[in-house]
Amino acid sequence: MIIVLRPDATKKQIDHLIEKVKKLGLKPMVSRGVERTIIGVIGEEDVLRVQPLEAFPGVEKVMPILKPYKLVSREFKPENSIVDVEGVKIGGKKIAIMAGPCSVESLEMLMDVGKKVKKSGANILRGGAFKPRSSPYSFQGLGEEGLKFLKDVKKETGMKIVTEVMDTRDVWMVEKYADILQVGARNMQNFNLLKEVGLSKKPVLLKRGMSATIKEFLMSAEYILAAGNFNCILCERGIRTFEDATRFTLDLNAIPLIKQLSHLPVIVDPSHGTGKWDLVSPMAKAAIAAGADGLMIEVHTNPEEAYSDGEQSLVPYRFDVMMKELKAVAKAVGREI
Ligand code: PEP
Ligand code: MN
């Protein structure tokens, strides 16, 4: 249930209400907006049948939520959430650009790609040090050494770092190096991992599972918020359909739809969403036009030799061309790159 307070509700009235909710054994999650305060109530709401909260001073309305998610919902927070990654804001007018190789392979390559994508306008460096691979014989990532390389490139370029954490046991370590913790598509419903990153102070980038509905996607984000971490960014990265001409089917519907349902920022990964480098730029443009708050793009200096996902990686020159073209699209929809 969601309690909407009157714009003129006093602090005393709000505190009194919060106390009452707690006393009833429910968990109040408070969202203080510019206009008004909203309280999301979590727990067995049946007790409120005997104790209607509408009667409390300062309460404007009490809305039962039929949707299974609360904290991520627009009802809970009508205004867009902006996730601040050490000054880089995701969810505002400016579109966030995350770019870099699929896997961290070496410091030299990462530094080279990092400097080039930064020059083209990317502000967040991506690169996996822990890789979820379909085969146990494929390259699994450099682990902590890869995380150190990411930090080195951050030091040199000033870019923020987004990198995947696959295991609850590694969250403490990845947190030391990353500015954004990425939860990959294959782990979207790893509920223990969601709870663990939900306890982190670092923002989380949650990628949509390849077979997850939008409702399931939002329920997974709910785990992160319910654990206390409201700095959550959602990433559409393609879903499995009958179509096998592309690696996945990038679900552009998800962007405006999630924006209706949730206040969280939504970014798009057209690299995994298409699996083909020459489809990345057109789909990136489409994503911005559809309202995405950011993009995640795989870039490699030598895709032929990439340890993973070379076929969907842009060379830095093509990334640069795409960035220039994206500026015009962003401007057309009232955004900025
Ligand atoms: C990635 O971004 O490197 C990745 C593995 O993506 P996904 O989890 O979307 O497959
Ligand atoms: Mn990849």
Side-chain angles (χ1 to χ4, degrees), residues 256-269:
L257 184 55
I258 293 175
K259 295 217 141 261
Q260 282 174 14
L261 300 171
S262 173
H263 54 86
L264 295 175
V266 180
I267 73 156
V268 169
D269 171 354

Side-chain angles (χ1 to χ4, degrees), residues 102 126 131 272 298 309 312:
C102 177
R126 65 145 287 141
K131 295 303 302 174
H272 291 90
E298 287 187 336
D309 289 351
Q312 64 193 38

Side-chain angles (χ1 to χ4, degrees), residues 13 21 28 52 56 81-82 98 114 133 143 165 190 199 224 235 260 263 277 321:
Q13 289 172 336
V21 170
F56 276 66
S81 281
I82 298 182
M98 308 179 184
R133 305 305 300 278
V165 56
N190 179 339
L199 294 172
I224 296 169
C235 179
Q260 282 174 14
H263 54 86
W277 70 264
V321 171

Side-chain angles (χ1 to χ4, degrees), residues 102 126 128 131-132 164 182-186 207-208 210 237 247-248 269 272 296 298 309:
C102 177
R126 65 145 287 141
K131 295 303 302 174
E164 179 161 356
Q182 177 173 327
V183 174
R186 290 154 191 84
K207 298 190 90 175
R208 179 179 180 183
M210 58 189 83
R237 47 78 71 212
R247 185 176 180 192
F248 295 99
D269 171 354
H272 291 90
M296 173 174 259
E298 287 187 336
D309 289 351

